[in-house]
Structure formats: C-alpha cells, structure tokens
Amino acid sequence: MTIVQSAVYEPLTEQKATALAVRLGLFRDGAPLLCREIGDGNLNLVFHIVDQATKQGVIIKQALPYAKVVGESWPLTLKRAVIESNALRTFASYVPQYVPKVYYSDESLAITVMEDLSRLQIARKGLIEGKTYPLLSRHIGEFIAKTAFYTSDFGMNQQEKKKLAQNFVNPELCKITEDLVFTDPFFDHDTNNFEDELRPDVEALWQDDRLHLETAKLKRKFLTEADVLLHGDLHTGSIFASDDETKVIDPEFAFYGPIGFDLGQFFANLLLNALSRSEAERQPLFVHIDSTWRVFTSIFAELWQTESVETYAATPGLLDEVLRQAFIDTVGFAGCEVIRRTIGLAHVADLDGIEQKVERLAAKRHALRLGRRLIVERAELAGTDGFRRLFVETER
Ligand code: SR1
Ligand code: MG
C-alpha cells in the first residue's frame, strides 16, 4: 500500500477522509466513492468510505484532541489512536477472527484505517432490538481467554511482557476510567448525571461507607495490578456482531490491568440490557454470562496447563486461585460499571431508551441496588448463577 507522508494533525472532513483513502491507494482509480461520518461514540470521528460500484468499503477512525461527548473543554490525548492500532494488531496476533483488520495507521493524524464491518451490527443496538446473538459469549469468552493468557507472565516471555506493557502505558484514558467508573458516581461530583427523582437513591450510595470501602479496593486493583493486556472498555457498544460473527473494536483504553476488568464490563452491559427487558426476555442475557465465564475458564485453563512459560504454573491450587480471584474481581467491576452507566457521565441507551418514565426510573433504581450488591457481596456469589440470584433479589 502507498504510504502517505506524515501530516500535521487536523480533524478530517468527509472530503479530506476520501482524499486520504485515495492517496493511500485503498480504492482503484476513478472509483465512485461515498464517505459518511458515522461516529456515534463519545470520543472519535469515524468515516465510512464505500466504492459505490463494488460496494467495498473501509473505515478511517480519527481521534479528536478532546472528548466529543463533553466538548473542547475536556482535552484528550491523541496518543490513544496509537494505543488502539497497537492493541488491534496485538489482539490480531492471538485472535484475528475477533478483531477488524488494520490496513494502515498514522500517529500524527491520529488515524487507524481498518476493515469495514458494516455487514455487522453494534451488539448494544441489536440487544436493545431484542436480538440474542447466539455465539456472542462463545466468541467473547475465547477472545478474553486468549488475549489475557498470551499477554500474561504465564503465556509469554516475562521480559518481553514488560517491553510489550510499555506500549500500553495509557495514563490519560486510564484516568477517565479511574474517575468515571470508580470514583465520581460514588461521590457528589459534577460529572454525574441522573434524573432528580433518583437523588435519594444516589445520595444513599454517596453515604454508604461499606460501598466506599469495597469500591476503593476495586479501584486500587485497577490502579496497581498490571496482569494482562486488557481492551479497557469492553462494553456492548465496543462489539460488532451477527448471528455467526463477532468483532471487538475500539481498544483505545487498552492497558495492562487486572484480568477481571474486561469480563466485568462485558457482564455489566449484559445486565444493563437485561434491566431494560421484560422478565420473560431476560434469560438469553444470563445464558451469555454463564457461557462467557465457562468458555473463558475452560480455554484459559487449557492454555495454562499446556503452554505456560512459568515454572510455578503446575503448582497444585495456583490456577484455581487465579480463577477464583478473577471471578470475584469480575463481579465487583461489573457492579461499578452498572452504577456508573446509571448515574455517571456516560449512560447507555439500554436504560436511557426506556420510554416510560416510571419504568425507566424503576429500572435505574434496580440497577443501583444490583450494582451495590455486586460490589459489596462479590466474594459470596459462588458462580455465575449468583448474577441471576442478585438480579432477582434486587428487583424491588
Ligand atoms: C469521556 S469518555 C466516556 C466514556 O466513553 C468511553 O466509551 C468510556 O466508556 C468512557 O468511560
Ligand atoms: Mg469506545
């Protein structure tokens, strides 16, 4: 592929993105190209460029120097584009079937040019429409098991791991998670955003010493435990899916962290979807939680037993202890994510899209009760059935 000369950063327009795609030689000469900016996330521009004759397309994703969801008053590093393309390439070396192909990246323009996945649908949108994506949990369980194992001190040369981790030092994006997931929703902070009717429920959380202590322990893990390379923002809006395919996108929050974090975020977003459904339609979400955990543990354990580079891997009891602790952390991280998506800065359409106010407020109160118990009772869940049990017990 033709390489463009490094340019000075400027946000692309649809015209400039098209011209860039042509300069990169991504389309044949004279192809009738149509470009649309389709970014609907919180942070970036996303250009979808399609050859109208062949219907072949590409995606050009560009980081903006600020958080789009807030505006230019919240500056944000462009380095996240490099982190994202490095993470996609690293994940592709273990699970190419679950990430988009990266064709090109340019640090100065903060762009990643990648495979067009428009044949698939963002999983959050599909789940809100009532789809169930039968293979979602099998694929995500395998994605997390393989990327976690192969980037850990048990799955790769331990000196190489330390060098790889240097590429994923991501202080600005980690700070967003430290604030928005682990801190602000638990205090009276101006980033929080919730309906007035929820104030008594929210103030009860702000005054809950037990919740503060347990959330602080989880935040400390996030801050200090550089165990495996994580996606860092694995909610259902970061996943493209169909009935037979799954692709994980948007790893700009990637960093070395605790193994349960991606699992916790994924489970929380399944629970948030369950909260938006009638009782009769919730079952597939709980099946996904069970199946993700089962697939994750079985692949992770198999790799640990057959490919580990660490002498102590064969020590009786160690793998069980790693998985036991990973489960407890997963539950707690899920609780933090459920709470922050309900009353923090960045909400989810699953809950905000419930049209009837009475039902929406009931679902959000349920979310707050569920999130709290996931955090404080995380060590007592004893298996993924515990998610279902707590969901039912916190219904009213
Ligand atoms: C200011 S960024 C808000 C949220 O959007 C991202 O997708 C992350 O989830 C972040 O917490
Ligand atoms: Mg994102």
PDB file of all heavy atoms in Angstrom, residues 79-80 82-88 90-91 165 167-171 173-174 177 222 228-234 250-257 261-262:
ATOM      1  N   LYS A  79      -2.668  10.328  21.545  1.00  0.00           N
ATOM      2  CA  LYS A  79      -1.884   9.073  21.584  1.00  0.00           C
ATOM      3  C   LYS A  79      -2.771   7.848  21.649  1.00  0.00           C
ATOM      4  O   LYS A  79      -2.346   6.726  21.390  1.00  0.00           O
ATOM      5  CB  LYS A  79      -0.944   9.083  22.800  1.00  0.00           C
ATOM      6  CG  LYS A  79       0.271   9.948  22.631  1.00  0.00           C
ATOM      7  CD  LYS A  79       1.307   9.624  23.712  1.00  0.00           C
ATOM      8  CE  LYS A  79       2.303  10.761  23.851  1.00  0.00           C
ATOM      9  NZ  LYS A  79       2.332  11.323  25.201  1.00  0.00           N
ATOM     10  N   ARG A  80      -4.028   8.051  22.021  1.00  0.00           N
ATOM     11  CA  ARG A  80      -4.918   6.890  22.118  1.00  0.00           C
ATOM     12  C   ARG A  80      -5.107   6.199  20.771  1.00  0.00           C
ATOM     13  O   ARG A  80      -5.434   5.012  20.723  1.00  0.00           O
ATOM     14  CB  ARG A  80      -6.258   7.313  22.720  1.00  0.00           C
ATOM     15  CG  ARG A  80      -7.081   8.268  21.876  1.00  0.00           C
ATOM     16  CD  ARG A  80      -8.245   8.770  22.722  1.00  0.00           C
ATOM     17  NE  ARG A  80      -9.319   9.373  21.951  1.00  0.00           N
ATOM     18  CZ  ARG A  80      -9.367  10.652  21.609  1.00  0.00           C
ATOM     19  NH1 ARG A  80      -8.386  11.475  21.950  1.00  0.00           N
ATOM     20  NH2 ARG A  80     -10.394  11.115  20.918  1.00  0.00           N
ATOM     21  N   VAL A  82      -2.695   5.581  18.632  1.00  0.00           N
ATOM     22  CA  VAL A  82      -1.579   4.618  18.522  1.00  0.00           C
ATOM     23  C   VAL A  82      -1.850   3.411  19.416  1.00  0.00           C
ATOM     24  O   VAL A  82      -1.626   2.259  19.024  1.00  0.00           O
ATOM     25  CB  VAL A  82      -0.239   5.263  18.958  1.00  0.00           C
ATOM     26  CG1 VAL A  82       0.909   4.293  18.775  1.00  0.00           C
ATOM     27  CG2 VAL A  82      -0.004   6.533  18.188  1.00  0.00           C
ATOM     28  N   ILE A  83      -2.328   3.692  20.632  1.00  0.00           N
ATOM     29  CA  ILE A  83      -2.671   2.592  21.548  1.00  0.00           C
ATOM     30  C   ILE A  83      -3.693   1.678  20.867  1.00  0.00           C
ATOM     31  O   ILE A  83      -3.578   0.456  20.881  1.00  0.00           O
ATOM     32  CB  ILE A  83      -3.261   3.145  22.872  1.00  0.00           C
ATOM     33  CG1 ILE A  83      -2.263   4.044  23.580  1.00  0.00           C
ATOM     34  CG2 ILE A  83      -3.808   2.015  23.738  1.00  0.00           C
ATOM     35  CD1 ILE A  83      -1.500   3.465  24.714  1.00  0.00           C
ATOM     36  N   GLU A  84      -4.693   2.289  20.252  1.00  0.00           N
ATOM     37  CA  GLU A  84      -5.754   1.485  19.625  1.00  0.00           C
ATOM     38  C   GLU A  84      -5.204   0.622  18.495  1.00  0.00           C
ATOM     39  O   GLU A  84      -5.486  -0.586  18.431  1.00  0.00           O
ATOM     40  CB  GLU A  84      -6.862   2.402  19.100  1.00  0.00           C
ATOM     41  CG  GLU A  84      -7.872   1.647  18.267  1.00  0.00           C
ATOM     42  CD  GLU A  84      -9.213   2.338  18.132  1.00  0.00           C
ATOM     43  OE1 GLU A  84      -9.482   3.311  18.856  1.00  0.00           O
ATOM     44  OE2 GLU A  84     -10.010   1.886  17.301  1.00  0.00           O
ATOM     45  N   SER A  85      -4.400   1.212  17.598  1.00  0.00           N
ATOM     46  CA  SER A  85      -3.919   0.383  16.478  1.00  0.00           C
ATOM     47  C   SER A  85      -2.944  -0.676  16.978  1.00  0.00           C
ATOM     48  O   SER A  85      -2.959  -1.819  16.502  1.00  0.00           O
ATOM     49  CB  SER A  85      -3.334   1.240  15.353  1.00  0.00           C
ATOM     50  OG  SER A  85      -2.362   2.101  15.847  1.00  0.00           O
ATOM     51  N   ASN A  86      -2.109  -0.335  17.975  1.00  0.00           N
ATOM     52  CA  ASN A  86      -1.213  -1.356  18.558  1.00  0.00           C
ATOM     53  C   ASN A  86      -2.005  -2.485  19.214  1.00  0.00           C
ATOM     54  O   ASN A  86      -1.645  -3.659  19.103  1.00  0.00           O
ATOM     55  CB  ASN A  86      -0.285  -0.737  19.609  1.00  0.00           C
ATOM     56  CG  ASN A  86       0.869   0.027  18.974  1.00  0.00           C
ATOM     57  OD1 ASN A  86       1.195  -0.198  17.807  1.00  0.00           O
ATOM     58  ND2 ASN A  86       1.478   0.928  19.728  1.00  0.00           N
ATOM     59  N   ALA A  87      -3.072  -2.120  19.911  1.00  0.00           N
ATOM     60  CA  ALA A  87      -3.875  -3.155  20.581  1.00  0.00           C
ATOM     61  C   ALA A  87      -4.548  -4.052  19.548  1.00  0.00           C
ATOM     62  O   ALA A  87      -4.553  -5.283  19.688  1.00  0.00           O
ATOM     63  CB  ALA A  87      -4.916  -2.509  21.496  1.00  0.00           C
ATOM     64  N   LEU A  88      -5.101  -3.452  18.490  1.00  0.00           N
ATOM     65  CA  LEU A  88      -5.761  -4.281  17.466  1.00  0.00           C
ATOM     66  C   LEU A  88      -4.762  -5.244  16.838  1.00  0.00           C
ATOM     67  O   LEU A  88      -5.073  -6.417  16.601  1.00  0.00           O
ATOM     68  CB  LEU A  88      -6.400  -3.400  16.386  1.00  0.00           C
ATOM     69  CG  LEU A  88      -7.672  -2.654  16.803  1.00  0.00           C
ATOM     70  CD1 LEU A  88      -8.122  -1.692  15.708  1.00  0.00           C
ATOM     71  CD2 LEU A  88      -8.812  -3.633  17.132  1.00  0.00           C
ATOM     72  N   THR A  90      -1.946  -6.369  18.250  1.00  0.00           N
ATOM     73  CA  THR A  90      -1.565  -7.375  19.255  1.00  0.00           C
ATOM     74  C   THR A  90      -2.664  -8.427  19.393  1.00  0.00           C
ATOM     75  O   THR A  90      -2.403  -9.635  19.373  1.00  0.00           O
ATOM     76  CB  THR A  90      -1.292  -6.698  20.615  1.00  0.00           C
ATOM     77  OG1 THR A  90      -0.289  -5.706  20.424  1.00  0.00           O
ATOM     78  CG2 THR A  90      -0.813  -7.705  21.659  1.00  0.00           C
ATOM     79  N   PHE A  91      -3.914  -7.978  19.507  1.00  0.00           N
ATOM     80  CA  PHE A  91      -5.025  -8.940  19.621  1.00  0.00           C
ATOM     81  C   PHE A  91      -5.081  -9.831  18.374  1.00  0.00           C
ATOM     82  O   PHE A  91      -5.328 -11.043  18.471  1.00  0.00           O
ATOM     83  CB  PHE A  91      -6.367  -8.218  19.804  1.00  0.00           C
ATOM     84  CG  PHE A  91      -6.495  -7.447  21.097  1.00  0.00           C
ATOM     85  CD1 PHE A  91      -7.300  -6.310  21.186  1.00  0.00           C
ATOM     86  CD2 PHE A  91      -5.825  -7.866  22.246  1.00  0.00           C
ATOM     87  CE1 PHE A  91      -7.438  -5.604  22.375  1.00  0.00           C
ATOM     88  CE2 PHE A  91      -5.950  -7.160  23.447  1.00  0.00           C
ATOM     89  CZ  PHE A  91      -6.754  -6.027  23.507  1.00  0.00           C
ATOM     90  N   ALA A 165       4.293  -4.214  27.628  1.00  0.00           N
ATOM     91  CA  ALA A 165       3.475  -3.366  28.511  1.00  0.00           C
ATOM     92  C   ALA A 165       3.816  -1.882  28.331  1.00  0.00           C
ATOM     93  O   ALA A 165       2.953  -1.016  28.492  1.00  0.00           O
ATOM     94  CB  ALA A 165       3.664  -3.795  29.963  1.00  0.00           C
ATOM     95  N   ASN A 167       4.226  -0.329  25.633  1.00  0.00           N
ATOM     96  CA  ASN A 167       3.410   0.231  24.539  1.00  0.00           C
ATOM     97  C   ASN A 167       2.002   0.570  24.984  1.00  0.00           C
ATOM     98  O   ASN A 167       1.246   1.185  24.239  1.00  0.00           O
ATOM     99  CB  ASN A 167       3.271  -0.783  23.386  1.00  0.00           C
ATOM    100  CG  ASN A 167       4.577  -1.055  22.703  1.00  0.00           C
ATOM    101  OD1 ASN A 167       5.485  -0.239  22.773  1.00  0.00           O
ATOM    102  ND2 ASN A 167       4.680  -2.211  22.060  1.00  0.00           N
ATOM    103  N   PHE A 168       1.636   0.082  26.158  1.00  0.00           N
ATOM    104  CA  PHE A 168       0.247   0.256  26.594  1.00  0.00           C
ATOM    105  C   PHE A 168       0.151   1.025  27.913  1.00  0.00           C
ATOM    106  O   PHE A 168      -0.791   0.828  28.685  1.00  0.00           O
ATOM    107  CB  PHE A 168      -0.446  -1.108  26.664  1.00  0.00           C
ATOM    108  CG  PHE A 168      -0.567  -1.748  25.312  1.00  0.00           C
ATOM    109  CD1 PHE A 168       0.298  -2.772  24.929  1.00  0.00           C
ATOM    110  CD2 PHE A 168      -1.487  -1.276  24.392  1.00  0.00           C
ATOM    111  CE1 PHE A 168       0.212  -3.335  23.665  1.00  0.00           C
ATOM    112  CE2 PHE A 168      -1.579  -1.830  23.122  1.00  0.00           C
ATOM    113  CZ  PHE A 168      -0.723  -2.869  22.752  1.00  0.00           C
ATOM    114  N   VAL A 169       1.156   1.868  28.150  1.00  0.00           N
ATOM    115  CA  VAL A 169       1.036   2.798  29.280  1.00  0.00           C
ATOM    116  C   VAL A 169       0.079   3.893  28.803  1.00  0.00           C
ATOM    117  O   VAL A 169       0.368   4.593  27.834  1.00  0.00           O
ATOM    118  CB  VAL A 169       2.415   3.375  29.659  1.00  0.00           C
ATOM    119  CG1 VAL A 169       2.265   4.433  30.747  1.00  0.00           C
ATOM    120  CG2 VAL A 169       3.333   2.250  30.116  1.00  0.00           C
ATOM    121  N   ASN A 170      -1.067   3.984  29.428  1.00  0.00           N
ATOM    122  CA  ASN A 170      -2.182   4.768  28.869  1.00  0.00           C
ATOM    123  C   ASN A 170      -2.793   5.660  29.956  1.00  0.00           C
ATOM    124  O   ASN A 170      -3.978   5.531  30.305  1.00  0.00           O
ATOM    125  CB  ASN A 170      -3.220   3.767  28.311  1.00  0.00           C
ATOM    126  CG  ASN A 170      -4.201   4.389  27.345  1.00  0.00           C
ATOM    127  OD1 ASN A 170      -4.200   5.603  27.145  1.00  0.00           O
ATOM    128  ND2 ASN A 170      -5.049   3.561  26.756  1.00  0.00           N
ATOM    129  N   PRO A 171      -1.964   6.578  30.539  1.00  0.00           N
ATOM    130  CA  PRO A 171      -2.425   7.278  31.749  1.00  0.00           C
ATOM    131  C   PRO A 171      -3.687   8.104  31.565  1.00  0.00           C
ATOM    132  O   PRO A 171      -4.555   8.107  32.448  1.00  0.00           O
ATOM    133  CB  PRO A 171      -1.228   8.175  32.123  1.00  0.00           C
ATOM    134  CG  PRO A 171      -0.351   8.238  30.919  1.00  0.00           C
ATOM    135  CD  PRO A 171      -0.605   6.977  30.133  1.00  0.00           C
ATOM    136  N   LEU A 173      -6.250   7.802  29.417  1.00  0.00           N
ATOM    137  CA  LEU A 173      -7.504   7.050  29.268  1.00  0.00           C
ATOM    138  C   LEU A 173      -7.813   6.255  30.544  1.00  0.00           C
ATOM    139  O   LEU A 173      -8.970   6.133  30.950  1.00  0.00           O
ATOM    140  CB  LEU A 173      -7.428   6.128  28.042  1.00  0.00           C
ATOM    141  CG  LEU A 173      -7.641   6.758  26.647  1.00  0.00           C
ATOM    142  CD1 LEU A 173      -9.100   6.889  26.308  1.00  0.00           C
ATOM    143  CD2 LEU A 173      -6.939   8.083  26.463  1.00  0.00           C
ATOM    144  N   CYS A 174      -6.752   5.751  31.203  1.00  0.00           N
ATOM    145  CA  CYS A 174      -6.990   5.078  32.499  1.00  0.00           C
ATOM    146  C   CYS A 174      -7.598   6.054  33.499  1.00  0.00           C
ATOM    147  O   CYS A 174      -8.482   5.697  34.278  1.00  0.00           O
ATOM    148  CB  CYS A 174      -5.689   4.493  33.054  1.00  0.00           C
ATOM    149  SG  CYS A 174      -5.193   2.967  32.236  1.00  0.00           S
ATOM    150  N   THR A 177     -11.262   6.232  33.280  1.00  0.00           N
ATOM    151  CA  THR A 177     -11.935   5.104  33.949  1.00  0.00           C
ATOM    152  C   THR A 177     -11.836   5.232  35.467  1.00  0.00           C
ATOM    153  O   THR A 177     -12.808   4.975  36.193  1.00  0.00           O
ATOM    154  CB  THR A 177     -11.312   3.781  33.464  1.00  0.00           C
ATOM    155  OG1 THR A 177     -11.392   3.754  32.035  1.00  0.00           O
ATOM    156  CG2 THR A 177     -12.038   2.578  34.040  1.00  0.00           C
ATOM    157  N   PHE A 222      -7.462  -1.854  39.993  1.00  0.00           N
ATOM    158  CA  PHE A 222      -7.373  -1.273  38.651  1.00  0.00           C
ATOM    159  C   PHE A 222      -6.105  -0.429  38.513  1.00  0.00           C
ATOM    160  O   PHE A 222      -5.428  -0.449  37.491  1.00  0.00           O
ATOM    161  CB  PHE A 222      -8.626  -0.421  38.384  1.00  0.00           C
ATOM    162  CG  PHE A 222      -8.660   0.183  37.003  1.00  0.00           C
ATOM    163  CD1 PHE A 222      -9.235  -0.512  35.943  1.00  0.00           C
ATOM    164  CD2 PHE A 222      -8.117   1.435  36.761  1.00  0.00           C
ATOM    165  CE1 PHE A 222      -9.260   0.041  34.662  1.00  0.00           C
ATOM    166  CE2 PHE A 222      -8.141   1.996  35.493  1.00  0.00           C
ATOM    167  CZ  PHE A 222      -8.718   1.297  34.440  1.00  0.00           C
ATOM    168  N   VAL A 228      -2.588  -8.482  32.762  1.00  0.00           N
ATOM    169  CA  VAL A 228      -2.779  -8.885  31.354  1.00  0.00           C
ATOM    170  C   VAL A 228      -3.151  -7.656  30.523  1.00  0.00           C
ATOM    171  O   VAL A 228      -3.623  -6.646  31.058  1.00  0.00           O
ATOM    172  CB  VAL A 228      -3.924  -9.927  31.229  1.00  0.00           C
ATOM    173  CG1 VAL A 228      -3.642 -11.160  32.084  1.00  0.00           C
ATOM    174  CG2 VAL A 228      -5.276  -9.328  31.605  1.00  0.00           C
ATOM    175  N   LEU A 229      -2.952  -7.770  29.199  1.00  0.00           N
ATOM    176  CA  LEU A 229      -3.380  -6.672  28.323  1.00  0.00           C
ATOM    177  C   LEU A 229      -4.901  -6.714  28.193  1.00  0.00           C
ATOM    178  O   LEU A 229      -5.481  -7.716  27.765  1.00  0.00           O
ATOM    179  CB  LEU A 229      -2.737  -6.803  26.934  1.00  0.00           C
ATOM    180  CG  LEU A 229      -3.129  -5.692  25.957  1.00  0.00           C
ATOM    181  CD1 LEU A 229      -2.671  -4.313  26.452  1.00  0.00           C
ATOM    182  CD2 LEU A 229      -2.569  -5.960  24.559  1.00  0.00           C
ATOM    183  N   LEU A 230      -5.528  -5.609  28.558  1.00  0.00           N
ATOM    184  CA  LEU A 230      -6.988  -5.511  28.524  1.00  0.00           C
ATOM    185  C   LEU A 230      -7.441  -4.638  27.361  1.00  0.00           C
ATOM    186  O   LEU A 230      -6.715  -3.722  26.937  1.00  0.00           O
ATOM    187  CB  LEU A 230      -7.491  -4.854  29.819  1.00  0.00           C
ATOM    188  CG  LEU A 230      -7.295  -5.648  31.104  1.00  0.00           C
ATOM    189  CD1 LEU A 230      -7.587  -4.752  32.312  1.00  0.00           C
ATOM    190  CD2 LEU A 230      -8.206  -6.864  31.120  1.00  0.00           C
ATOM    191  N   HIS A 231      -8.648  -4.869  26.900  1.00  0.00           N
ATOM    192  CA  HIS A 231      -9.293  -3.953  25.963  1.00  0.00           C
ATOM    193  C   HIS A 231      -9.538  -2.618  26.670  1.00  0.00           C
ATOM    194  O   HIS A 231      -9.294  -1.548  26.118  1.00  0.00           O
ATOM    195  CB  HIS A 231     -10.617  -4.573  25.491  1.00  0.00           C
ATOM    196  CG  HIS A 231     -11.422  -3.688  24.608  1.00  0.00           C
ATOM    197  ND1 HIS A 231     -12.174  -2.636  25.099  1.00  0.00           N
ATOM    198  CD2 HIS A 231     -11.595  -3.683  23.261  1.00  0.00           C
ATOM    199  CE1 HIS A 231     -12.778  -2.022  24.079  1.00  0.00           C
ATOM    200  NE2 HIS A 231     -12.444  -2.641  22.959  1.00  0.00           N
ATOM    201  N   GLY A 232     -10.033  -2.691  27.893  1.00  0.00           N
ATOM    202  CA  GLY A 232     -10.167  -1.498  28.728  1.00  0.00           C
ATOM    203  C   GLY A 232     -11.521  -0.803  28.645  1.00  0.00           C
ATOM    204  O   GLY A 232     -11.801   0.088  29.458  1.00  0.00           O
ATOM    205  N   ASP A 233     -12.363  -1.171  27.670  1.00  0.00           N
ATOM    206  CA  ASP A 233     -13.683  -0.519  27.550  1.00  0.00           C
ATOM    207  C   ASP A 233     -14.639  -1.481  26.833  1.00  0.00           C
ATOM    208  O   ASP A 233     -15.321  -1.112  25.884  1.00  0.00           O
ATOM    209  CB  ASP A 233     -13.526   0.784  26.749  1.00  0.00           C
ATOM    210  CG  ASP A 233     -14.732   1.715  26.868  1.00  0.00           C
ATOM    211  OD1 ASP A 233     -15.459   1.643  27.884  1.00  0.00           O
ATOM    212  OD2 ASP A 233     -14.944   2.527  25.947  1.00  0.00           O
ATOM    213  N   LEU A 234     -14.660  -2.717  27.329  1.00  0.00           N
ATOM    214  CA  LEU A 234     -15.349  -3.785  26.596  1.00  0.00           C
ATOM    215  C   LEU A 234     -16.842  -3.833  26.934  1.00  0.00           C
ATOM    216  O   LEU A 234     -17.361  -4.821  27.458  1.00  0.00           O
ATOM    217  CB  LEU A 234     -14.666  -5.140  26.858  1.00  0.00           C
ATOM    218  CG  LEU A 234     -15.073  -6.282  25.923  1.00  0.00           C
ATOM    219  CD1 LEU A 234     -14.887  -5.909  24.463  1.00  0.00           C
ATOM    220  CD2 LEU A 234     -14.285  -7.540  26.252  1.00  0.00           C
ATOM    221  N   ASP A 250     -12.468  -0.674  18.969  1.00  0.00           N
ATOM    222  CA  ASP A 250     -12.287   0.471  19.883  1.00  0.00           C
ATOM    223  C   ASP A 250     -11.406   0.243  21.111  1.00  0.00           C
ATOM    224  O   ASP A 250     -11.742   0.766  22.196  1.00  0.00           O
ATOM    225  CB  ASP A 250     -13.650   0.934  20.422  1.00  0.00           C
ATOM    226  CG  ASP A 250     -14.326   1.909  19.492  1.00  0.00           C
ATOM    227  OD1 ASP A 250     -13.739   2.217  18.445  1.00  0.00           O
ATOM    228  OD2 ASP A 250     -15.431   2.370  19.829  1.00  0.00           O
ATOM    229  N   PRO A 251     -10.270  -0.440  20.988  1.00  0.00           N
ATOM    230  CA  PRO A 251      -9.465  -0.650  22.219  1.00  0.00           C
ATOM    231  C   PRO A 251      -8.541   0.528  22.558  1.00  0.00           C
ATOM    232  O   PRO A 251      -7.391   0.323  22.935  1.00  0.00           O
ATOM    233  CB  PRO A 251      -8.662  -1.911  21.880  1.00  0.00           C
ATOM    234  CG  PRO A 251      -8.484  -1.847  20.406  1.00  0.00           C
ATOM    235  CD  PRO A 251      -9.685  -1.149  19.835  1.00  0.00           C
ATOM    236  N   GLU A 252      -9.065   1.743  22.480  1.00  0.00           N
ATOM    237  CA  GLU A 252      -8.217   2.904  22.788  1.00  0.00           C
ATOM    238  C   GLU A 252      -7.921   3.017  24.290  1.00  0.00           C
ATOM    239  O   GLU A 252      -7.002   3.729  24.701  1.00  0.00           O
ATOM    240  CB  GLU A 252      -8.864   4.195  22.269  1.00  0.00           C
ATOM    241  CG  GLU A 252     -10.177   4.522  22.936  1.00  0.00           C
ATOM    242  CD  GLU A 252     -11.031   5.482  22.128  1.00  0.00           C
ATOM    243  OE1 GLU A 252     -10.487   6.487  21.659  1.00  0.00           O
ATOM    244  OE2 GLU A 252     -12.240   5.228  21.979  1.00  0.00           O
ATOM    245  N   PHE A 253      -8.709   2.306  25.118  1.00  0.00           N
ATOM    246  CA  PHE A 253      -8.467   2.305  26.564  1.00  0.00           C
ATOM    247  C   PHE A 253      -7.541   1.166  26.988  1.00  0.00           C
ATOM    248  O   PHE A 253      -7.373   0.913  28.182  1.00  0.00           O
ATOM    249  CB  PHE A 253      -9.787   2.171  27.330  1.00  0.00           C
ATOM    250  CG  PHE A 253     -10.610   3.438  27.392  1.00  0.00           C
ATOM    251  CD1 PHE A 253     -11.323   3.887  26.293  1.00  0.00           C
ATOM    252  CD2 PHE A 253     -10.669   4.193  28.558  1.00  0.00           C
ATOM    253  CE1 PHE A 253     -12.081   5.063  26.343  1.00  0.00           C
ATOM    254  CE2 PHE A 253     -11.418   5.360  28.628  1.00  0.00           C
ATOM    255  CZ  PHE A 253     -12.121   5.794  27.519  1.00  0.00           C
ATOM    256  N   ALA A 254      -6.937   0.473  26.001  1.00  0.00           N
ATOM    257  CA  ALA A 254      -6.125  -0.713  26.319  1.00  0.00           C
ATOM    258  C   ALA A 254      -4.990  -0.364  27.282  1.00  0.00           C
ATOM    259  O   ALA A 254      -4.370   0.692  27.178  1.00  0.00           O
ATOM    260  CB  ALA A 254      -5.551  -1.309  25.039  1.00  0.00           C
ATOM    261  N   PHE A 255      -4.733  -1.267  28.224  1.00  0.00           N
ATOM    262  CA  PHE A 255      -3.645  -1.086  29.194  1.00  0.00           C
ATOM    263  C   PHE A 255      -3.435  -2.421  29.903  1.00  0.00           C
ATOM    264  O   PHE A 255      -4.243  -3.348  29.752  1.00  0.00           O
ATOM    265  CB  PHE A 255      -3.982   0.026  30.217  1.00  0.00           C
ATOM    266  CG  PHE A 255      -4.973  -0.402  31.267  1.00  0.00           C
ATOM    267  CD1 PHE A 255      -4.584  -0.555  32.597  1.00  0.00           C
ATOM    268  CD2 PHE A 255      -6.289  -0.685  30.939  1.00  0.00           C
ATOM    269  CE1 PHE A 255      -5.493  -0.978  33.565  1.00  0.00           C
ATOM    270  CE2 PHE A 255      -7.198  -1.109  31.900  1.00  0.00           C
ATOM    271  CZ  PHE A 255      -6.792  -1.246  33.214  1.00  0.00           C
ATOM    272  N   TYR A 256      -2.344  -2.537  30.628  1.00  0.00           N
ATOM    273  CA  TYR A 256      -2.124  -3.739  31.434  1.00  0.00           C
ATOM    274  C   TYR A 256      -2.853  -3.597  32.767  1.00  0.00           C
ATOM    275  O   TYR A 256      -2.549  -2.687  33.546  1.00  0.00           O
ATOM    276  CB  TYR A 256      -0.626  -3.971  31.659  1.00  0.00           C
ATOM    277  CG  TYR A 256      -0.086  -5.022  30.703  1.00  0.00           C
ATOM    278  CD1 TYR A 256       0.281  -4.692  29.400  1.00  0.00           C
ATOM    279  CD2 TYR A 256       0.006  -6.357  31.095  1.00  0.00           C
ATOM    280  CE1 TYR A 256       0.743  -5.660  28.517  1.00  0.00           C
ATOM    281  CE2 TYR A 256       0.468  -7.327  30.228  1.00  0.00           C
ATOM    282  CZ  TYR A 256       0.831  -6.979  28.943  1.00  0.00           C
ATOM    283  OH  TYR A 256       1.268  -7.951  28.084  1.00  0.00           O
ATOM    284  N   GLY A 257      -3.790  -4.488  33.027  1.00  0.00           N
ATOM    285  CA  GLY A 257      -4.598  -4.361  34.239  1.00  0.00           C
ATOM    286  C   GLY A 257      -5.078  -5.713  34.746  1.00  0.00           C
ATOM    287  O   GLY A 257      -4.661  -6.768  34.257  1.00  0.00           O
ATOM    288  N   PHE A 261     -11.259  -7.262  34.597  1.00  0.00           N
ATOM    289  CA  PHE A 261     -11.875  -5.976  34.245  1.00  0.00           C
ATOM    290  C   PHE A 261     -12.729  -6.051  32.978  1.00  0.00           C
ATOM    291  O   PHE A 261     -13.876  -5.593  32.963  1.00  0.00           O
ATOM    292  CB  PHE A 261     -10.820  -4.874  34.127  1.00  0.00           C
ATOM    293  CG  PHE A 261     -11.436  -3.514  33.922  1.00  0.00           C
ATOM    294  CD1 PHE A 261     -12.111  -2.885  34.955  1.00  0.00           C
ATOM    295  CD2 PHE A 261     -11.392  -2.885  32.686  1.00  0.00           C
ATOM    296  CE1 PHE A 261     -12.723  -1.648  34.774  1.00  0.00           C
ATOM    297  CE2 PHE A 261     -11.995  -1.648  32.487  1.00  0.00           C
ATOM    298  CZ  PHE A 261     -12.661  -1.031  33.539  1.00  0.00           C
ATOM    299  N   ASP A 262     -12.174  -6.625  31.893  1.00  0.00           N
ATOM    300  CA  ASP A 262     -12.966  -6.711  30.647  1.00  0.00           C
ATOM    301  C   ASP A 262     -14.198  -7.592  30.852  1.00  0.00           C
ATOM    302  O   ASP A 262     -15.290  -7.277  30.367  1.00  0.00           O
ATOM    303  CB  ASP A 262     -12.120  -7.303  29.512  1.00  0.00           C
ATOM    304  CG  ASP A 262     -11.159  -6.282  28.895  1.00  0.00           C
ATOM    305  OD1 ASP A 262     -11.274  -5.082  29.206  1.00  0.00           O
ATOM    306  OD2 ASP A 262     -10.288  -6.702  28.103  1.00  0.00           O
TER     307      ASP A 262
END
